[in-house]
Amino acid sequence: MQGKQAHDPILLEKMNTTSSWRCICVPGPLIVGAGPSGLATAACLKQKGVPSVVLERSNCIASLWQLKTYDRLRLHLPKQFCQLPLMGFPTDFPTYPTKQQFVAYLEAYARMFDIEPRFNETVSRAEYDATLGFWRVKSVGIKGEGTEYVCRWLVVATGENAEALVPEMEGKGEFGGDIRHTSLYKSGEEFRGKRVLVVGCGNSGMEVCLDLCNHNARPSLVVRDTVHVLPREMLGRSTFGLSMWLLKWLPIRFVDRLLLVLSWLMLGDTARFGLERPRLGPLELKNLSGKTPVLDVGTLANIKSGDIKVCPSIKRLKRFAVEFVNGKTENFDAIILATGYKSNVPSWLKEREMFSEKDGYPRRPFPNGWKGGNGLYAVGFTKRGLLGTSMDAERIAEDIERCWKHEAKHRTAFTRSAVLQQSSP
């Protein structure tokens, strides 16, 4: 690459057109995102002797966990299913680590593998330059300074939760009360005594409702679609762990039936409380659509007792009130949007083959979505949580290691040839 910079007229011309940008040549892969996905990939590469550069738009690692999650959050799955490659959780951590414990684990992970991301660098554009045979990645710093990275391999680790997904609602400007996404929600303390409508019945929506109840707020829950609610634990084991064990011996549909029977015995008929189940079983639905079942941590008991009211979809907002599709109108002081997140890849990656422009996910489904063309990779887009992230990171590191060693052999051979020519009379 240094030779290209010195002697390639095409490269010189392109560099001159962006003279206001500082140019950095990256010998190894460039990783965009310093969340669990980016850290796992950098660690796996480091273990194989491949250096990498990690860019992060925020001022810390795992910014979603540190800056955009509520205080009571815990891992929804047991820690053994959430650990990153090459380093497990501390033995004294509980089965379901807290948000603070998980962040501490990630910080220790970064220290162990000497991962030092370049913080406050937002990637504005990444494009493969076929003339050069390299990726050109432009980032903008906190003061507006521009940097262009030129690299052989590009790893997209911005993940499924890059941007808050905020739905359009008629009458939003008329409401007058607090409307915020869960990324801005910390605790139910500030809503004490208030009527709060939570929109979205996934794990976050259910847990925010429970948190509001615990702080003496009056929450209602908008259920817009069918949902599987399962106990977090069954038969003395985590529901997820039990499912994974059963799938070793039984077909997925049989395991789904067993999970639903046990759920009915433990939780009762959730449809009686406005929580209709999908036609497909929880595991089959997860495989086909990526939709995760809700693992109940106490919310359902509050729904049964009437402390949390279940509501249908919203038709429109009014002044401190909400009109629902069933024609009823109720008063609320605040609205919390537990409507999830979305990928932001199409906004900065100028590539159409590997990633869908519609949703920002790899076009090829799991487990084949981790690798694209021209040295492009994706990690953390499996819709299978941290377990899927670890699988992607290990595959990517192995693939890049092969290329790295192959190119290293050519570099060594070239160097030896040059030395011999210089030493010959």
Side-chain angles (χ1 to χ4, degrees):
M1 289 182 67
Q2 289 174 343
K4 274 183 174 289
Q5 283 184 310
H7 305 292
D8 191 331
I10 297 176
L11 180 60
L12 288 172
E13 181 183 348
K14 291 194 174 186
M15 291 305 176
N16 287 334
T17 61
T18 57
S19 57
S20 62
W21 292 71
R22 182 173 58 124
C23 184
I24 296 177
C25 297
V26 181
L30 182 72
I31 302 171
V32 182
S37 299
L39 297 178
T41 306
C44 290
L45 288 165
K46 189 74 172 285
Q47 193 238 3
K48 295 180 181 299
V50 181
S52 64
V53 172
V54 182
L55 301 184
E56 169 57 44
R57 65 180 176 178
S58 188
N59 61 356
C60 60
I61 64 168
S63 60
L64 177 70
W65 280 87
Q66 296 211 55
L67 307 177
K68 298 181 179 181
T69 50
Y70 42 91
D71 295 340
R72 65 159 287 141
L73 179 64
R74 287 178 174 266
L75 292 179
H76 291 122
L77 302 181
K79 61 184 179 181
Q80 64 266 31
F81 299 109
C82 299
Q83 63 190 26
L84 300 184
L86 309 173
M87 178 178 154
F89 281 93
T91 54
D92 60 342
F93 273 26
T95 303
Y96 302 94
T98 65
K99 160 188 169 176
Q100 294 77 13
Q101 289 171 325
F102 184 59
V103 169
Y105 165 74
L106 293 177
E107 289 175 338
Y109 189 86
R111 287 194 300 271
M112 179 174 179
F113 295 101
D114 197 26
I115 303 169
E116 297 182 350
R118 301 189 179 192
F119 294 116
N120 298 311
E121 290 208 35
T122 302
V123 173
S124 59
R125 185 180 183 89
E127 189 171 16
Y128 184 71
D129 192 320
T131 305
L132 302 178
F134 292 94
W135 287 91
R136 303 178 67 183
V137 181
K138 292 185 176 182
S139 75
V140 179
I142 197 169
K143 297 180 180 178
E145 67 276 18
T147 304
E148 182 172 50
Y149 295 89
V150 182
C151 56
R152 170 72 178 81
W153 302 280
L154 176 62
V155 181
V156 179
T158 48
E160 304 162 355
N161 303 317
E163 305 289 346
L165 186 58
V166 179
E168 290 294 325
M169 293 184 290
E170 185 182 347
K172 189 174 181 180
E174 183 184 342
F175 180 66
D178 186 358
I179 301 177
R180 69 175 73 174
H181 190 267
T182 46
S183 58
L184 300 173
Y185 175 91
K186 294 300 178 185
S187 167
E189 177 62 36
E190 63 180 301
F191 297 98
R192 189 176 294 272
K194 293 184 178 181
R195 299 160 299 183
V196 184
L197 181 65
V198 178
V199 181
C201 61
N203 280 296
S204 293
M206 289 285 209
E207 199 159 355
V208 166
C209 275
L210 181 60
D211 189 54
L212 289 165
C213 273
N214 292 341
H215 287 90
N216 295 320
R218 290 177 284 167
S220 295
L221 178 67
V222 169
V223 178
R224 300 173 295 173
D225 201 356
T226 54
V227 60
H228 279 300
V229 180
L230 307 177
R232 188 169 67 171
E233 296 185 345
M234 294 178 173
L235 305 178
R237 301 180 62 172
S238 75
T239 298
F240 184 80
L242 178 64
S243 302
M244 294 301 100
W245 182 77
L246 289 172
L247 286 172
K248 293 179 180 179
W249 318 102
L250 302 169
I252 189 169
R253 290 189 177 181
F254 189 88
V255 176
D256 269 340
R257 290 194 190 100
L258 181 59
L259 292 177
L260 291 175
V261 168
L262 291 173
S263 294
W264 187 83
L265 291 172
M266 296 176 69
L267 303 177
D269 181 9
T270 60
R272 290 175 51 208
F273 309 101
L275 301 170
E276 296 277 353
R277 292 192 181 276
R279 294 182 63 184
L280 289 176
L283 300 181
E284 195 172 5
L285 184 65
K286 175 68 174 173
N287 276 349
L288 291 175
S289 69
K291 186 175 181 180
T292 304
V294 171
L295 297 176
D296 181 54
V297 291
T299 308
L300 193 60
N302 284 275
I303 292 175
K304 290 178 179 179
S305 67
D307 292 329
I308 299 173
K309 183 178 180 180
V310 174
C311 304
S313 296
I314 295 172
K315 182 178 181 181
R316 59 161 292 141
L317 306 185
K318 298 179 179 180
R319 183 71 175 168
F320 289 102
V322 176
E323 181 184 347
F324 298 100
V325 291
N326 62 1
K328 293 183 179 180
T329 298
E330 295 190 28
N331 297 326
F332 292 98
D333 301 300
I335 298 174
I336 306 295
L337 301 174
T339 45
Y341 294 84
K342 62 180 178 180
S343 164
N344 69 354
V345 174
S347 68
W348 58 269
L349 181 63
K350 307 309 171 186
E351 185 272 348
R352 297 183 178 181
E353 293 184 9
M354 181 178 182
F355 282 89
S356 166
E357 293 178 274
K358 183 179 180 181
D359 61 10
Y361 281 75
R363 296 182 187 276
R364 299 175 68 187
F366 179 83
N368 302 310
W370 61 275
K371 183 178 180 181
N374 301 318
L376 180 63
Y377 299 90
V379 56
F381 293 89
T382 63
K383 296 183 180 179
R384 283 163 174 78
L386 294 166
L387 201 59
T389 288
S390 296
M391 295 170 66
D392 279 350
E394 290 169 340
R395 288 176 179 139
I396 290 168
E398 289 172 3
D399 198 64
I400 292 178
E401 181 196 23
R402 283 194 292 270
C403 300
W404 178 265
K405 288 183 176 179
H406 178 73
E407 294 183 5
K409 288 180 181 178
H410 284 281
R411 287 195 296 270
T412 303
F414 177 80
T415 303
R416 287 176 179 171
S417 175
V419 170
L420 289 172
Q421 286 178 12
Q422 289 176 1
S423 61
S424 61

